[in-house]
Amino acid sequence: MEYTSGATSWQKVLRRAAAGLLPRRPRQRRPGWSIGVPLIAAAAGLLFTTTATTAGGTALREDRRPQLNQLIEDRREQVAASERRAATLRDEVQQRTNTLAGSDAPIKDQQDRAQGSLQAAGFTALGGTGVTVELNDAPQLDQTQSDADNDDLVVHQADVQAVVNALWAGGAEAVSIMNVRVLATSAVRCVGNTLLLHGRVYSPPFKIVAIGDPAALQQALASSQGVQWFKDAVDDYQLGYKETAGTVRVPAFEDSTALRSATVPK
């Protein structure tokens, strides 16, 4: 009887299930979800507000290169104006010094002493026989050269330094880069494929001029390992290297001579 009754009960359950009459399980409330939805909506609103403020009414993906180019041009004009003012002030200082030297013997003595060192210090223009070297970037990357990348196709700081050091080693009396006199305090730096020298930016080709015995200068260039590495890259990636001998001119140094730092030799 119990088995039959149990079977009857299960039959009833199955029939009620087929008829869709079984009681549904009550849904559990999720208080965390009801709280999370407003928080997510608030965060999204804050994100949209911040994006609109940052954009300032312009598209975030807008090409800003024209603005950057204008900013660079504005800074160059400011630097040029400051250099002109500095040159004017230096001339004024020199004129006042000359005036004082007429009545002050110690100042006159120091002025004569400084005058005798101007050429050795690089503050006078020089001309004579020498060598000119031009370094240039390679043409656009050749797809057939699978082993080449952009770094292989541009002139680097080390390349310019190798040429300058070789010219000094060859007995150069004076050296200029891009018609700017190079002194002991000059620092050659490269930013991308541009050259930074005394606060000015130059694009290739980079022209290096040295006054001295052309044969000795060219021999020093041929003996320099750094220059030879660049010549190897010329053969491999079509970088530009041009070396000529003849009559050259190196200008006087015209920038500020103020030292930013110095150490006392032991």
Side-chain angles (χ1 to χ4, degrees):
M1 294 294 296
E2 293 179 358
Y3 177 79
T4 304
S5 175
T8 303
S9 299
W10 276 108
Q11 290 174 357
K12 291 181 179 180
V13 170
L14 292 175
R15 284 197 301 269
R16 291 178 64 85
L21 299 177
L22 285 177
R24 296 181 178 180
R25 178 182 297 179
R27 294 183 177 180
Q28 297 181 357
R29 297 189 57 143
R30 299 181 180 180
W33 176 254
S34 61
I35 297 175
V37 170
L39 290 178
I40 294 174
L46 178 61
L47 177 61
F48 293 148
T49 302
T50 304
T51 302
T53 304
T54 303
T58 61
L60 286 179
R61 295 185 180 272
E62 180 183 357
D63 190 356
R64 301 292 181 88
R65 283 176 293 183
Q67 300 179 16
L68 180 59
N69 292 338
Q70 184 61 44
L71 178 61
I72 294 174
E73 187 62 29
D74 292 342
R75 291 294 184 267
R76 285 180 177 176
E77 292 179 359
Q78 293 175 6
V79 170
S82 298
E83 289 176 346
R84 289 192 295 269
R85 174 168 171 75
T88 301
L89 293 175
R90 286 195 295 268
D91 292 339
E92 184 179 344
V93 170
Q94 186 61 43
Q95 292 174 5
R96 294 190 179 188
T97 302
N98 293 338
T99 301
L100 289 174
S103 58
D104 193 315
I107 292 180
K108 181 65 167 62
D109 293 340
Q110 293 301 320
Q111 192 178 44
D112 293 340
R113 177 173 173 268
Q115 192 69 28
S117 302
L118 288 179
Q119 180 173 334
F123 292 95
T124 59
L126 293 177
T129 58
V131 170
T132 301
V133 178
E134 288 188 10
L135 307 179
N136 200 2
D137 293 345
Q140 189 174 2
L141 179 63
D142 187 353
Q143 298 299 327
T144 61
Q145 295 175 326
S146 58
D147 61 333
D149 56 30
N150 291 332
D151 286 338
D152 296 323
L153 307 177
V154 298
V155 179
H156 292 282
Q157 174 180 326
D159 302 324
V160 178
Q161 290 176 333
V163 172
V164 173
N165 290 338
L167 293 172
W168 285 127
E173 301 175 17
V175 175
S176 67
I177 302 175
M178 303 300 288
N179 206 36
V180 177
R181 186 69 170 267
V182 176
L183 303 181
T185 56
S186 300
V188 179
R189 297 184 178 90
C190 284
V191 181
N193 67 332
T194 60
L195 180 69
L196 181 63
L197 180 62
H198 296 301
R200 299 185 183 92
V201 179
Y202 302 94
S203 299
F206 303 129
K207 183 179 179 180
I208 306 167
V209 177
I211 294 179
D213 179 17
L217 295 176
Q218 291 181 314
Q219 177 61 38
L221 289 169
S223 302
S224 170
Q225 186 178 35
V227 176
Q228 185 57 51
W229 285 341
F230 184 82
K231 290 182 178 179
D232 292 340
V234 170
D235 295 335
D236 294 337
Y237 306 113
Q238 289 76 53
L239 287 161
Y241 182 88
K242 184 179 179 181
E243 179 183 314
T244 57
T247 302
V248 297
R249 182 182 180 278
V250 173
F253 184 79
E254 297 179 349
D255 289 326
S256 173
T257 58
L259 292 176
R260 292 184 175 86
S261 62
T263 57
V264 178
K266 296 181 181 180

